[in-house]
Amino acid sequence: MFAKAFRVKSNTAIKGSDRRKLRADVAATFPALSAEQLSELVSNKEELNVIKLYAHRGDAVTVYANSQNPVLFEMEKSLYPTVYALWSYPDLLPAFATWPPVLQKLAGGADLMLPGVVVPSCGLPQVQKGTLCAITLAGNRAPVAIGIATMSTAEMLAAGMKGRGLTVLHTYTDHLWGFGDKSSPPTIAPMVADPAEMRCTEEEGDEGQEHGNHLSADPSLVTDFGNLGLQEGDDCTELGKTNENGAAEMAEEENTEAPQEAEDSRTPQEQMDELLHQCFLHALKCKVKKSELPLLTSTFLRNHMFSCCIRSFVVPEMSSSVPAAQENRCSDGEQQYHPPEIVPLYGVTSKMAPLFLESGHKKGSLLFSSDVRNIIINYVKNNELVDETNKNFVKVNPILCDCLLDKAEQDEISKLKWDDLVSRCLERLQLSHQLTFFGHEPITRKGNIDPIDITIAQRSSNKKVTIIKNLEVYGLDPQAVANILQQRVQASATLGTLPGAKDRVQVQIQGNQINHLAKLLLEEYRIPRKYIQGLEKAPKLGRKK
């Protein structure tokens, strides 16, 4: 946001009434602040200026600064603390730690990627998508950046710590920081030292002090962070990388911390190799389903092996012997079809945007239905809208009224049931869907997914034909489907251009073949019935005499 220079529009002193309003907004945004801390942050005695500026992308930003430094900034009606403010209140936001060399990338405008996050032994902070978070450096609790979580903690772990973790808004050494006295972060010791970090620091010693500085290209980034050495960063920083060797490395880190219960003649490397081998065999034997094979190695590592890669892992005894892996091929040798995972998504519209501002989402943000429900629940609780006399109802405030009620209802409805509140919200969001094919990255598309459309058409001489459309949407090869049906029903099957769609074709087969088609799609391809349209047109089977 502030990686490049911004343009100042105005700089004026804040008035008394505006100061009181600001203090109230800060108290509502950061309820963890005590009354004393709130008075320090927005003081009545100290000069406080309001600065209106435009970031390099054109975003309008309001900055609140005391006599020395900017302490808060407001964007799209949301308040954010600066690093100067967080150095006084380091525990104001949930914090994710990264390695010092990453700071230079963040200051240059990059977002924090999950492979660069240091996972402490106590685990990551529990956050939801859209939560405002601080970013610290390993070994120092002083925040050096702030950002918004792009996913929940559970989703980060489920993704194998890959992908974008936080969208960075402001960093130490950016232009907003340069608007202040340009002081360096203080050294704030971790509340509980992480064993992995302690070990790295101890192993480096003087060698780290001699060579650590060469990892920071910018001298301005070299600050006192508790003498955290980086010479052996090849070992330490690997904790922040997630790759095919990540499971073995994480297991090795924990292994060196665990007390040895008995002497082992094997070297640590040999022990870790054996542990990794056991984890691999157990994951392949007990966690991978036959329907998932063949499987990408990266997917296997992320979804199945990470849960096994802990120091205390023991292969459980199995009651029956099954093959470690079975070939998942069709009789003709072709790869077996896997139905896509289809998840509905809901986009924030301009009319619904005010309702989602508190959660950090703006127009165009895509949310799962569970995220929408959680955001609504948190909004109601934070604004104390639960009806005191009947907790099954929610009081309608002006924002809920504008977003969820029709004009004819606005003068009549003052309360809504919880279910009605959530359903109205979902109805007014822009519907999209996420399509995930086996072994591929998810695809997001607007609107409802097109169902497989089956129709019966009448041809000359009163002959009927079955027409199947939209097979490509579900990853099915129309030619393969036509060949299978032709063999099974012993009828002619052809492919034709689908009117109005350049990249799709339709399958046409003689006769009403919906019963055979239903068995193929539902039982063999495992397409959910709700995504197939026209099954009700199947001919009724005669009774057996």
Side-chain angles (χ1 to χ4, degrees), residues 14 19 23 38-48 66-67:
I14 193 170
R19 190 186 297 257
R23 187 183 293 110
L38 189 61
S39 298
E40 292 174 355
L41 186 60
V42 187
S43 174
N44 285 327
K45 301 178 181 179
E46 191 176 10
E47 179 185 353
L48 192 64
N66 56 28
S67 57

Side-chain angles (χ1 to χ4, degrees), residues 40 65 72 128 148 162 237 248 271 330 364 372 417 459 480:
E40 292 174 355
L72 298 162
Q128 297 297 321
I148 296 175
K162 286 186 177 181
T237 54
Q271 295 177 32
C330 300
V372 175
K417 287 187 175 181
R459 294 292 185 256

Side-chain angles (χ1 to χ4, degrees), residues 7-173:
R7 178 167 58 89
V8 176
K9 179 182 178 183
S10 62
N11 187 342
T12 57
I14 193 170
K15 299 179 181 178
S17 58
D18 292 334
R19 190 186 297 257
R20 288 190 295 272
K21 182 180 181 302
L22 176 61
R23 187 183 293 110
D25 291 341
V26 173
T29 305
F30 308 109
L33 286 173
S34 65
E36 181 179 354
Q37 292 173 329
L38 189 61
S39 298
E40 292 174 355
L41 186 60
V42 187
S43 174
N44 285 327
K45 301 178 181 179
E46 191 176 10
E47 179 185 353
L48 192 64
N49 289 347
V50 56
I51 305 157
K52 296 186 180 296
L53 54 88
Y54 291 103
H56 70 280
R57 296 177 182 175
D59 300 292
V61 183
T62 301
V63 178
Y64 300 94
N66 56 28
S67 57
Q68 293 180 319
N69 298 311
V71 291
L72 298 162
F73 66 95
E74 184 177 3
M75 187 171 57
E76 295 182 350
K77 299 183 180 180
S78 295
L79 275 174
Y80 305 95
T82 66
V83 290
Y84 290 112
L86 290 177
W87 292 342
S88 299
Y89 314 105
D91 301 319
L92 182 62
L93 303 176
F96 289 82
T98 188
W99 300 103
V102 178
L103 177 57
Q104 185 177 357
K105 301 293 185 181
L106 302 182
D111 292 330
L112 180 62
M113 309 302 286
L114 290 178
V117 173
V118 179
V119 182
S121 58
C122 57
L124 296 172
Q126 296 299 312
V127 301
Q128 297 297 321
K129 182 178 179 181
T131 301
L132 182 63
C133 304
I135 301 172
T136 64
L137 298 184
N140 189 0
R141 278 198 302 131
V144 294
I146 65 167
I148 296 175
T150 62
M151 62 183 82
S152 66
T153 304
E155 291 171 332
M156 293 179 187
L157 297 174
M161 296 302 290
K162 286 186 177 181
R164 192 183 309 275
L166 276 75
T167 300
V168 176
L169 301 178
H170 157 54
T171 69
Y172 161 61
T173 74

Side-chain angles (χ1 to χ4, degrees), residues 77-379:
K77 299 183 180 180
S78 295
L79 275 174
Y80 305 95
T82 66
V83 290
Y84 290 112
L86 290 177
W87 292 342
S88 299
Y89 314 105
D91 301 319
L92 182 62
L93 303 176
F96 289 82
T98 188
W99 300 103
V102 178
L103 177 57
Q104 185 177 357
K105 301 293 185 181
L106 302 182
D111 292 330
L112 180 62
M113 309 302 286
L114 290 178
V117 173
V118 179
V119 182
S121 58
C122 57
L124 296 172
Q126 296 299 312
V127 301
Q128 297 297 321
K129 182 178 179 181
T131 301
L132 182 63
C133 304
I135 301 172
T136 64
L137 298 184
N140 189 0
R141 278 198 302 131
V144 294
I146 65 167
I148 296 175
T150 62
M151 62 183 82
S152 66
T153 304
E155 291 171 332
M156 293 179 187
L157 297 174
M161 296 302 290
K162 286 186 177 181
R164 192 183 309 275
L166 276 75
T167 300
V168 176
L169 301 178
H170 157 54
T171 69
Y172 161 61
T173 74
D174 69 7
H175 285 271
L176 182 59
W177 166 84
F179 206 70
D181 61 12
K182 301 183 179 180
S183 55
S184 299
T187 301
I188 306 176
M191 298 177 66
V192 178
D194 188 65
E197 294 176 16
M198 292 174 61
R199 190 185 70 260
C200 291
T201 307
E202 290 171 358
E203 289 178 351
E204 287 152 7
D206 296 334
E207 184 180 3
Q209 294 179 5
E210 293 175 5
H211 303 284
N213 289 342
H214 81 279
L215 289 175
S216 180
D218 187 351
S220 67
L221 299 180
V222 181
T223 56
D224 181 14
F225 291 130
N227 294 325
L228 179 66
L230 289 171
Q231 170 59 22
E232 304 235 357
D234 290 341
D235 295 330
C236 297
T237 54
E238 288 297 333
L239 288 172
K241 297 180 180 178
T242 306
N243 52 32
E244 283 73 6
N245 299 322
E249 291 163 358
M250 287 188 288
E252 184 174 351
E253 293 296 334
E254 298 190 9
N255 178 57
T256 54
E257 290 300 311
Q260 294 186 352
E261 299 178 358
E263 291 294 331
D264 195 329
S265 60
R266 296 176 300 173
T267 66
Q269 181 66 39
E270 291 173 339
Q271 295 177 32
M272 287 299 99
D273 287 345
E274 176 63 22
L275 177 62
L276 183 63
H277 187 237
Q278 291 182 3
C279 294
F280 169 79
L281 293 178
H282 176 68
L284 188 61
K285 182 176 182 179
C286 304
K287 293 182 175 291
V288 178
K289 298 178 182 178
K290 179 181 177 181
S291 60
E292 294 178 317
L293 296 173
L295 188 63
L296 290 175
T297 54
S298 57
T299 304
F300 175 73
L301 179 70
R302 179 176 66 250
N303 294 345
H304 302 292
M305 275 196 66
F306 276 160
S307 59
C308 298
C309 289
I310 56 176
R311 180 64 183 88
S312 59
F313 171 75
V314 177
V315 178
E317 295 183 2
M318 303 297 292
S319 58
S320 61
S321 177
V322 295
Q326 299 179 7
E327 292 190 3
N328 188 20
R329 300 282 176 174
C330 300
S331 57
D332 58 1
E334 294 183 359
Q335 182 174 333
Q336 184 174 348
Y337 170 77
H338 297 271
E341 180 184 357
I342 305 166
V343 181
L345 295 174
Y346 298 87
V348 178
T349 62
S350 56
K351 182 178 180 181
M352 296 292 290
L355 184 55
F356 289 84
L357 276 180
E358 290 187 8
S359 61
H361 299 286
K362 56 185 180 180
K363 179 183 176 182
S365 297
L366 293 176
L367 304 167
F368 296 106
S369 58
S370 58
D371 294 332
V372 175
R373 180 178 292 272
N374 290 334
I375 290 171
I376 295 299
I377 292 174
N378 291 334
Y379 178 85

